[in-house]
Amino acid sequence: MLDSINRILQEAEEWKVKNSDDLEKYRLKFLSKKGALNELFDEFKTVSKEKKREFGQELNKLKNNLDEKFQKLQSEVVEEKSVSNAFDLSLPDLNNDLGALHPLTLVKRRITEIFARMGFSSEDGPEIETDRYNFTALNFPENHPAREMQDTFFVSKGEQQSDDVLLRTHTSNVQVRLMENSKPPIRSIMIGRVYRNEAISARAHCQFHQAEGLYIDKNVSFLDLKNTLLHFAKEMFGKDTEIRLRPSYFPFTEPSAEIDISCFICKGEGCNICKKTGWVEIGGSGMVDPNVLKSANIDPEEYTGFAFGMGIERIAMLKYDINDIRLFFDNDVRFLKQFQGA
């Protein structure tokens, strides 16, 4: 039996491994249930009492040596793996520059956040719309001069003018669909892309993004509109911001008002941004016209509401001091990188 112990010990000492497969072969040969060590322990059961002490000590030494050898070989395999998978410091540096959200995305998210805290849900609708939802249901009579305020891209003609298909000129079409499919109270904002037949310049574009809001309930007043817009202006542009509502005309609201904010650049003293007036226009608003409520089967004797709309590009240009609307659509990386910290 001593000869078998010495033979196994010598064989184990000479064992070399190059990979995990060799290590597994070592374990199976010497340490598994059917391995050489277990066979010797089975043979040890038949040894006479006089020899048990001597052979027992040698078997334990063999077991310890085999275990130590296995641990050593295992560490060699792990070390070899780590070396082979190590990062090659001679490789060129990878360009892992972090991206940045588009300024329009930043403004849209901020608008949504502000109105969400006031209880406004977010709604969306189609960009390709029929004349009815874009004009007629919003109190734009057929061939009325008010339609000329919003030159449009018509896609196709229908049998009747209300069936004509066009690219929407405002997100008010979402308001109409919402009023038709919901019952008051309604409190929502609609943010999306709109289209106009505009000559492209530093201040105008044939496409832009608009944020509109609609609130319909019992006893909604013009004061509710004013306070809502004031809270929004303070949250978006700073707590010292004030608003001014100037009388205006929109077919779908009556009375109607343009929305101005106090210039947060010069604090009302007058600068190039506000054209020396101390005020900057950001959108339009007003009380929902009763005809619009009627077209959506909402009783104007029971419910009133207000609506407002503002251009997101306009707000972004003011907030980030951008002087050309075309920059939003050029996808110039140099422009976009400026907003990494925004």
Side-chain angles (χ1 to χ4, degrees), residues 11-28:
E11 188 176 356
E13 287 296 328
E14 295 175 353
W15 193 281
K16 304 292 183 183
V17 298
K18 295 181 180 179
N19 49 48
S20 56
D21 290 338
D22 292 340
L23 182 66
E24 180 63 11
K25 289 177 182 178
Y26 175 94
R27 187 189 69 80
L28 292 173

Side-chain angles (χ1 to χ4, degrees), residues 72-83:
K72 180 182 178 182
L73 295 175
Q74 193 175 36
S75 64
E76 290 177 1
V77 171
V78 172
E79 183 178 354
E80 184 179 349
K81 274 187 176 181
S82 62
V83 170

Side-chain angles (χ1 to χ4, degrees), residues 63 65 98 110 172 196:
K63 181 179 182 304
N65 286 333
L98 292 176
R110 181 60 179 150
S172 302
R196 303 278 174 88

